Amino acid sequence: MPRFSIIVPVFKVQGFLRECLDSVLEQSYTDIEVIAVDDCSPDGCGAILDGYAARDPRVRVLHLPENVGLGRARNAGMPLATGDYLFFLDSDDTLTPGALRAVADRLDETADPDVLVFDYARTYWWGGTRRNVLARVLTEAGADTFSAADHPEILDLLMVVWNKVYRRAFVEREGFAFPPGYYEDTPWTFPVMLSAERIATLDRICLAYRQRRQGNILSTTSRKHFDIHDQYERVFAFVDSRPELSGWRPYLHHKMGEHCLDILSKKDRLPEEDKAEFFRLTAALFRKHRSGPVPSELRVLEGGFTRYRLRRQAGRAGRELGRRGQQARRAAAARVRRGWSAVHEHRSLDPNLAVYSAFSHRGVLGDPAAVYAAARELAPHIRGVWVVRDEEQAALLPPETEHVLLDSLRYRQVTARATYFVNNVNWPGSLAKRPGSVHIHTHQGTPLKFMAADLLHKPGARHGLDVPQMLRRADRWDYSLVANRHSELVWDRAYPCHFTSLRSGSPRNDVLVRARPEDGEAVRAGLGVPAGNRVVLYAPTRRDYVRGGHADRLDLARFADELGGDHTLVVRLHPSLADGPARGMGLSELHRRGVLVDATDEPRVEDLMLASDALVTDYSALMFDYANLDRPIVLLADDWGAYAASRGAYFDITADAPGHVAGSQRELTWLFASGGWRDGESARLRAGFRARFCEFDDGRAAERVVRTLMLGERAEEPALAVAVPAQPGHDVLASS
C-alpha cells in the first residue's frame, strides 16, 4: 500500500502536463501511486499519459468515455486509490522539490491526522512568484493537531482541494465526493474541514499554483459561475444533516455572501447582462440562510441591484478622488521640501552633526554602525543621528539611539544641517549635497559580481535598476572606503564619479580581525547550538538568472543529516530573499523541527560569523569578510557558469577560491566527511585569498575613518600584506 495516491484529472493541458507529472515522479520520496484521469481530453493528453504509464509502473491511466468535468473526474479516480492519503493535484500545477518527503515527515510527526494543510505559491505566466499571503496561519496553528473549532482561522485559507492531503479511510468513512459544476471545491472542502477531528499544518511551499495567462476555467466569462449558489446549498445541506455543526451556520453564511460578491465584482466572470440576475439569486440565498446579524460589508445584499451598482460606482469614484488627492499632496510636499531647502541652504552646517544609515534605513548595522561606535568613543562631541525607514524599524534600535524617520520634518532638518553622511547604500535622490558636507560611502563588501555602470552590458541583471540615476546619486560621494586594491579598481570603474578612495579596510570587519575564541559563545547559546557542537554557516546569495532570485542549490535537510549530530547547520539567506517564498520552501519547517537553524533574521551577520567554525557559500560577498577569521571556507559552485553569464563577474572565483570548491552536493558532503574542508590545501588557498582581499583589514578601520575624515588627523595607514597575484589566465577584473 503506497503512502500517497496522487489523483490528477486531465483536460486540455498538454502544454503543462509533462511538467506536472515530472514534478511528481522525480520527487525524492517514491512511495506513491499516480492515478491520472483523462477526462476525454481532445488534445494529446491521453497519449502523453499512456507514455508515462508505459515508462513508470507507479502511473495508472483511466480514460473516461466522455467529458464529466473536474469534480467528477476526481471522483472517478478515487475508487482506484490504494494509498494511505489522497492528494488531488491539478494537471497544470506542480509539486516543489522535496514536497512529498516534507509532507510524509509531517504526517509521521503528527500520527496520521485526517487532513494535512500545506502552503503554496502562485506562479505567474510572466515568471513572477507570490507566496500565499496567509502563510502565517499555518505556523500559528502550532505543532499539534487540532479541529476547525479549536483553530477556526484555518478556514481563512484558500478553500481549495489541492493544498491538502486527506486520510483515505477518513474520506471513505464520511462518503465525501465532488459535485458537478464550477466551484466544486467548496462543497468538498468545508464539509471535510468541519468534520475532521485531527488537522495538522505544514509551513512549507509544496505546490506551485500556476496562474495561466488564458485558459483558466474560473477566469472564463460564462453563466457557469451561477453554479456557486448550488454549491453553497450543498454546504448548508451538509451542515443541516450534522446537528453538531449547526454553530457554523453564521460563519458559512458570511463566507457565502463574501464569495458571491467577489465573483460579481470580477470583470471577467459574469456576462454583463447576467449580473443583475446573479445578484438577485445571491440575495435570495443570503436571506434564506440568514442566522444572525448581518456584517456591515454584506448589508448591500439586503437592497437591490441598482443600489449595489451605485455603491460600487461611488467607491470607484472615491478611490479615483483619493488617487488624485494623493498626487496633489505629493506635489505639495515636494514644493515644501524645495522651499525648506531654499530656506536652509544659507544656514551654516553643524560641524558636530553626523547622519548615518545602513541597508536602506534598516537600523544600526554594517560598516556605518562600526563607524558610529568609533565616533562615539573617539569624537563624542560629534552627535550621531540614524535615519530609519519607519516606526517599526525605530523600535528595534538600541536604547537611547537618536534617530529620525525617513522623509519626516526632522529628517529634513537634520540632513539640511549635517556635515557628515555615512551610508552603505546611496541616499535618496531628494537629498541635496551641500558644499562643505562630507559623504562617506562604505559599500557592502568586496565585489565579485558586476556593479553599477558595469551592468549596462548586462540587461537581464540590471532589470529594474536605473543605472544613470544610481550614478547621479554617487556623484555626492566624497570618500569610498576600500578593503583591498581589487575593490579600489572595481569602484573606480563601476562608479565613474569624483570621489577619493580611502584604503581604510572595512569597519564592520574590525570585530572579525580582533576575534577571540570566546566571542561567539553568547551567539551560539542564543541560537540554541548544543555545547561542543561544530557550527557550519551556510550563506547562499541570490541568482539573477532566476526570477525572484532564489534557487534551491542544496538539500538542506540531507546536508544537515550528513554533517552529523555533532554539527549544527546555520542558514542565512541573502537579505533580499528574507521576505519572499524562499523560506517557505522548507527552511522554516526545518528550523521548527530543529534540523537546522534559520538565522536569516539575525540582524548582525558579523555575530553569525564569529559563532561559526566554517563557512559554506556560493558567490556571496560574505566570504571576503569571513576570510578575516582565518577559518575554513568551502564554495558550492555547481552553477558558476550560469551565475557568471547572467550577472557578470570580475574574476573566476572557482580559480581563485578561499578554500576547496565543490561542484555538487555530493562533493560538498565528501569534503566534510573526509576532513578535506580543513586540510592543508584549504589553509593554503585561504592564506592566498586573505592576502589579496583582506590586505587593508587590520582591526582599526573604523578608528581610521573617524580620525581621518571626522577629526582631520593623519591616521596611520594599514600595514599591507604581500600581494598575491591572481592565478595565471584569470585577470583581476574580467572584461565586461
Side-chain angles (χ1 to χ4, degrees), residues 490-541:
V490 167
W491 301 137
D492 282 348
R493 163 173 149 169
Y495 292 96
C497 308
H498 298 287
F499 57 80
T500 299
S501 291
L502 181 68
R503 294 182 172 183
S504 59
S506 293
R508 69 185 180 283
N509 288 344
D510 289 346
V511 295
L512 305 181
V513 177
R514 300 194 299 258
R516 301 165 299 173
E518 65 272 19
D519 284 347
E521 290 303 319
V523 181
R524 292 164 72 99
L527 294 174
V529 176
N533 263 30
R534 182 172 284 136
V535 175
V536 177
L537 174 61
Y538 175 55
T541 193

Coordinates of all heavy atoms in Angstrom, one line a residue, residues 490-541:
V490 N 37.6 48.2 -8.8 CA 36.2 48.0 -9.2 C 35.4 49.2 -9.0 O 34.6 49.6 -9.9 CB 35.6 46.8 -8.4 CG1 34.1 46.8 -8.6 CG2 36.2 45.5 -8.9
W491 N 35.5 49.9 -7.8 CA 34.6 51.0 -7.6 C 35.0 52.2 -8.5 O 34.1 52.9 -8.9 CB 34.7 51.5 -6.1 CG 34.3 50.4 -5.1 CD1 35.0 50.1 -4.0 CD2 33.2 49.5 -5.2 NE1 34.3 49.1 -3.3 CE2 33.2 48.7 -4.0 CE3 32.2 49.4 -6.1 CZ2 32.3 47.8 -3.8 CZ3 31.2 48.4 -5.9 CH2 31.3 47.6 -4.7
D492 N 36.2 52.3 -8.9 CA 36.6 53.4 -9.8 C 36.0 53.2 -11.2 O 35.7 54.1 -11.9 CB 38.2 53.5 -9.9 CG 38.8 54.2 -8.8 OD1 38.1 54.8 -8.0 OD2 40.0 54.1 -8.6
R493 N 35.9 51.9 -11.5 CA 35.4 51.5 -12.8 C 33.8 51.5 -12.8 O 33.2 52.0 -13.8 CB 35.9 50.2 -13.2 CG 35.2 49.5 -14.4 CD 35.9 48.2 -14.8 NE 35.1 47.2 -15.3 CZ 35.5 46.1 -15.9 NH1 36.8 45.9 -16.0 NH2 34.6 45.2 -16.3
A494 N 33.2 51.0 -11.8 CA 31.8 50.8 -11.8 C 31.1 52.1 -11.5 O 29.9 52.3 -11.8 CB 31.4 49.8 -10.7
Y495 N 31.8 53.0 -10.7 CA 31.2 54.3 -10.4 C 32.1 55.4 -10.9 O 32.9 56.0 -10.2 CB 31.0 54.5 -8.9 CG 30.0 53.5 -8.3 CD1 30.3 52.3 -7.7 CD2 28.6 53.9 -8.3 CE1 29.4 51.5 -7.2 CE2 27.7 53.1 -7.8 CZ 28.0 51.8 -7.2 OH 27.1 51.0 -6.7
P496 N 32.0 55.8 -12.2 CA 32.9 56.8 -12.7 C 32.4 58.2 -12.2 O 31.8 59.0 -13.0 CB 32.6 56.7 -14.2 CG 31.3 56.0 -14.4 CD 31.1 55.2 -13.2
C497 N 32.7 58.5 -11.0 CA 32.3 59.7 -10.3 C 33.6 60.3 -9.6 O 34.6 59.7 -9.7 CB 31.2 59.4 -9.3 SG 29.8 58.5 -9.9
H498 N 33.4 61.5 -9.0 CA 34.5 62.2 -8.4 C 34.5 61.9 -6.9 O 33.9 62.6 -6.1 CB 34.4 63.7 -8.7 CG 34.5 64.0 -10.2 ND1 35.7 64.0 -10.9 CD2 33.5 64.4 -11.1 CE1 35.4 64.3 -12.1 NE2 34.1 64.6 -12.3
F499 N 35.3 60.9 -6.5 CA 35.4 60.6 -5.1 C 36.9 60.2 -4.9 O 37.6 59.8 -5.8 CB 34.5 59.6 -4.6 CG 34.5 58.2 -5.4 CD1 35.5 57.3 -5.1 CD2 33.6 57.9 -6.4 CE1 35.6 56.1 -5.8 CE2 33.7 56.7 -7.1 CZ 34.7 55.8 -6.8
T500 N 37.3 60.1 -3.6 CA 38.6 59.7 -3.2 C 38.5 58.3 -2.5 O 37.6 58.1 -1.6 CB 39.2 60.7 -2.3 OG1 39.4 61.9 -2.9 CG2 40.6 60.2 -1.8
S501 N 39.3 57.3 -3.0 CA 39.3 56.0 -2.3 C 40.1 56.1 -1.1 O 41.3 56.6 -1.1 CB 39.8 55.0 -3.3 OG 38.9 54.7 -4.4
L502 N 39.6 55.6 0.0 CA 40.3 55.6 1.3 C 40.6 54.1 1.6 O 39.7 53.3 1.8 CB 39.5 56.2 2.4 CG 40.2 56.2 3.8 CD1 41.3 57.2 3.8 CD2 39.2 56.6 4.9
R503 N 41.9 53.8 1.6 CA 42.4 52.5 2.0 C 42.3 52.3 3.5 O 43.3 52.2 4.2 CB 43.8 52.2 1.5 CG 43.9 52.3 -0.1 CD 45.3 52.0 -0.5 NE 45.4 51.9 -2.0 CZ 46.5 51.5 -2.6 NH1 47.6 51.4 -1.9 NH2 46.5 51.4 -3.9
S504 N 41.0 52.2 3.9 CA 40.8 52.1 5.3 C 40.6 50.7 5.9 O 40.8 50.4 7.1 CB 39.5 52.9 5.6 OG 38.4 52.3 4.9
G505 N 40.2 49.8 5.0 CA 39.7 48.5 5.5 C 38.2 48.6 5.7 O 37.6 49.7 5.6
S506 N 37.5 47.5 6.0 CA 36.1 47.5 6.2 C 35.8 47.7 7.7 O 36.2 46.7 8.5 CB 35.4 46.2 5.7 OG 35.5 46.2 4.3
P507 N 35.2 48.7 8.1 CA 35.0 48.9 9.6 C 34.2 47.8 10.3 O 34.5 47.4 11.4 CB 34.1 50.2 9.6 CG 34.6 51.0 8.4 CD 34.8 49.9 7.4
R508 N 33.2 47.2 9.6 CA 32.5 46.1 10.2 C 33.3 44.9 10.4 O 33.0 44.0 11.2 CB 31.3 45.7 9.3 CG 31.7 45.0 8.0 CD 30.5 44.8 7.1 NE 30.9 44.1 5.9 CZ 31.4 44.7 4.9 NH1 31.7 46.0 4.9 NH2 31.8 44.0 3.8
N509 N 34.5 44.8 9.7 CA 35.4 43.6 9.9 C 36.3 43.7 11.1 O 37.1 42.8 11.3 CB 36.1 43.3 8.6 CG 35.2 42.8 7.5 OD1 34.1 42.4 7.8 ND2 35.7 42.9 6.3
D510 N 36.3 44.9 11.7 CA 37.3 45.1 12.8 C 37.0 44.0 13.9 O 38.0 43.4 14.5 CB 37.1 46.4 13.5 CG 37.6 47.6 12.6 OD1 38.3 47.3 11.6 OD2 37.3 48.7 12.9
V511 N 35.8 43.6 14.2 CA 35.5 42.6 15.2 C 36.0 41.2 14.7 O 36.3 40.4 15.6 CB 34.0 42.6 15.5 CG1 33.5 43.9 16.1 CG2 33.1 42.3 14.3
L512 N 36.0 41.0 13.4 CA 36.5 39.7 12.9 C 38.0 39.6 13.0 O 38.5 38.6 13.4 CB 36.1 39.5 11.5 CG 34.5 39.6 11.2 CD1 34.3 39.4 9.7 CD2 33.7 38.7 12.1
V513 N 38.7 40.7 12.7 CA 40.1 40.7 12.8 C 40.6 40.5 14.2 O 41.6 39.9 14.5 CB 40.7 42.0 12.2 CG1 42.2 42.1 12.3 CG2 40.3 42.2 10.7
R514 N 39.9 41.1 15.2 CA 40.3 41.1 16.6 C 39.6 39.9 17.3 O 39.6 39.9 18.6 CB 39.9 42.4 17.3 CG 40.6 43.6 16.7 CD 40.5 44.8 17.6 NE 39.1 45.2 17.8 CZ 38.5 46.2 17.2 NH1 39.2 47.0 16.4 NH2 37.2 46.5 17.5
A515 N 39.0 39.0 16.6 CA 38.1 38.0 17.2 C 38.9 37.1 18.2 O 40.1 36.7 17.9 CB 37.5 37.1 16.2
R516 N 38.3 36.8 19.3 CA 38.8 35.9 20.3 C 38.0 34.6 20.3 O 36.8 34.6 19.8 CB 38.8 36.5 21.7 CG 39.6 37.8 21.8 CD 39.2 38.4 23.1 NE 37.8 38.8 23.2 CZ 37.2 39.3 24.2 NH1 37.8 39.5 25.3 NH2 35.9 39.6 24.1
P517 N 38.5 33.5 20.7 CA 37.7 32.2 20.6 C 36.4 32.3 21.3 O 35.4 31.6 20.9 CB 38.7 31.2 21.2 CG 40.1 31.8 21.1 CD 39.9 33.3 21.1
E518 N 36.3 33.0 22.4 CA 35.1 33.1 23.2 C 34.0 34.0 22.6 O 32.9 34.1 23.2 CB 35.4 33.4 24.6 CG 35.9 34.8 24.9 CD 37.5 34.8 24.8 OE1 38.1 33.9 24.2 OE2 38.0 35.8 25.3
D519 N 34.4 34.8 21.6 CA 33.5 35.9 21.2 C 32.1 35.4 20.6 O 31.1 36.1 20.7 CB 34.2 36.8 20.1 CG 35.2 37.7 20.7 OD1 35.2 37.8 21.9 OD2 36.0 38.3 19.9
G520 N 32.1 34.2 20.1 CA 30.8 33.7 19.5 C 30.0 32.9 20.4 O 28.9 32.4 20.1
E521 N 30.4 32.7 21.7 CA 29.7 31.8 22.6 C 28.3 32.3 22.9 O 27.4 31.5 22.9 CB 30.5 31.6 23.9 CG 31.8 30.8 23.7 CD 31.6 29.5 23.1 OE1 30.6 28.8 23.5 OE2 32.4 29.1 22.2
A522 N 28.1 33.5 23.2 CA 26.8 34.1 23.5 C 25.9 33.9 22.3 O 24.7 33.6 22.5 CB 26.9 35.5 23.9
V523 N 26.4 34.1 21.1 CA 25.5 34.0 19.9 C 25.1 32.5 19.7 O 24.0 32.2 19.4 CB 26.3 34.5 18.7 CG1 25.4 34.4 17.4 CG2 26.7 35.9 18.9
R524 N 26.1 31.6 19.9 CA 25.8 30.2 19.8 C 24.7 29.8 20.8 O 23.8 29.0 20.4 CB 27.1 29.4 20.0 CG 28.1 29.5 19.0 CD 29.5 29.0 19.4 NE 29.5 27.6 19.5 CZ 30.0 26.8 18.6 NH1 30.5 27.3 17.5 NH2 30.0 25.5 18.7
A525 N 24.8 30.3 22.0 CA 23.8 29.9 23.0 C 22.4 30.5 22.6 O 21.4 29.8 22.8 CB 24.2 30.5 24.4
G526 N 22.4 31.7 22.1 CA 21.2 32.3 21.7 C 20.5 31.6 20.5 O 19.3 31.6 20.4
L527 N 21.3 31.0 19.7 CA 20.8 30.2 18.5 C 20.4 28.8 18.9 O 19.8 28.1 18.1 CB 21.8 30.1 17.4 CG 22.2 31.4 16.7 CD1 23.4 31.2 15.8 CD2 21.0 32.0 16.0
G528 N 20.7 28.4 20.2 CA 20.4 27.1 20.6 C 21.3 26.0 20.2 O 20.9 24.8 20.1
V529 N 22.6 26.4 19.9 CA 23.5 25.4 19.5 C 24.0 24.6 20.7 O 24.4 25.1 21.7 CB 24.8 26.1 18.8 CG1 25.8 25.0 18.4 CG2 24.3 26.8 17.6
P530 N 23.9 23.2 20.6 CA 24.4 22.4 21.8 C 25.9 22.7 22.1 O 26.7 22.9 21.1 CB 24.1 21.0 21.3 CG 23.1 21.1 20.2 CD 23.4 22.4 19.5
A531 N 26.2 22.7 23.3 CA 27.6 22.9 23.7 C 28.5 21.8 23.1 O 28.1 20.6 23.1 CB 27.7 22.8 25.2
G532 N 29.6 22.3 22.6 CA 30.5 21.4 21.9 C 30.3 21.1 20.5 O 31.1 20.5 19.8
N533 N 29.1 21.5 19.9 CA 28.9 21.3 18.5 C 29.7 22.2 17.6 O 30.0 23.3 18.0 CB 27.4 21.5 18.2 CG 26.6 20.2 18.2 OD1 27.0 19.2 18.9 ND2 25.6 20.1 17.4
R534 N 30.0 21.7 16.5 CA 30.7 22.5 15.5 C 29.6 23.2 14.6 O 28.7 22.5 14.2 CB 31.6 21.6 14.6 CG 32.4 22.4 13.6 CD 33.4 21.5 12.9 NE 34.6 21.2 13.8 CZ 35.1 20.0 14.0 NH1 34.6 19.0 13.4 NH2 36.2 19.9 14.7
V535 N 29.8 24.5 14.4 CA 28.8 25.2 13.6 C 29.2 25.5 12.2 O 30.3 26.0 12.0 CB 28.5 26.6 14.3 CG1 27.5 27.4 13.5 CG2 27.9 26.3 15.7
V536 N 28.4 25.1 11.2 CA 28.7 25.3 9.8 C 27.7 26.4 9.4 O 26.4 26.1 9.4 CB 28.5 24.0 9.0 CG1 28.7 24.3 7.5 CG2 29.5 23.0 9.4
L537 N 28.1 27.5 8.9 CA 27.3 28.6 8.4 C 27.1 28.5 6.9 O 28.1 28.5 6.2 CB 27.9 29.9 8.8 CG 27.2 31.2 8.3 CD1 25.8 31.3 8.8 CD2 28.1 32.4 8.6
Y538 N 25.9 28.4 6.5 CA 25.6 28.3 5.0 C 24.9 29.6 4.6 O 23.9 30.0 5.1 CB 24.7 27.1 4.7 CG 24.3 27.1 3.3 CD1 25.2 27.0 2.2 CD2 22.9 27.0 2.9 CE1 24.8 27.0 0.9 CE2 22.5 27.0 1.6 CZ 23.5 26.9 0.6 OH 23.1 26.9 -0.7
A539 N 25.6 30.4 3.7 CA 25.1 31.7 3.3 C 25.1 31.8 1.8 O 26.1 32.2 1.2 CB 26.1 32.8 3.9
P540 N 24.0 31.4 1.2 CA 23.9 31.5 -0.3 C 23.5 32.9 -0.7 O 22.9 33.6 0.0 CB 22.8 30.5 -0.6 CG 21.9 30.5 0.6 CD 22.8 30.7 1.8
T541 N 23.9 33.2 -1.9 CA 23.5 34.5 -2.5 C 22.3 34.4 -3.4 O 21.9 33.3 -3.7 CB 24.7 35.2 -3.2 OG1 24.4 36.6 -3.4 CG2 25.0 34.5 -4.5

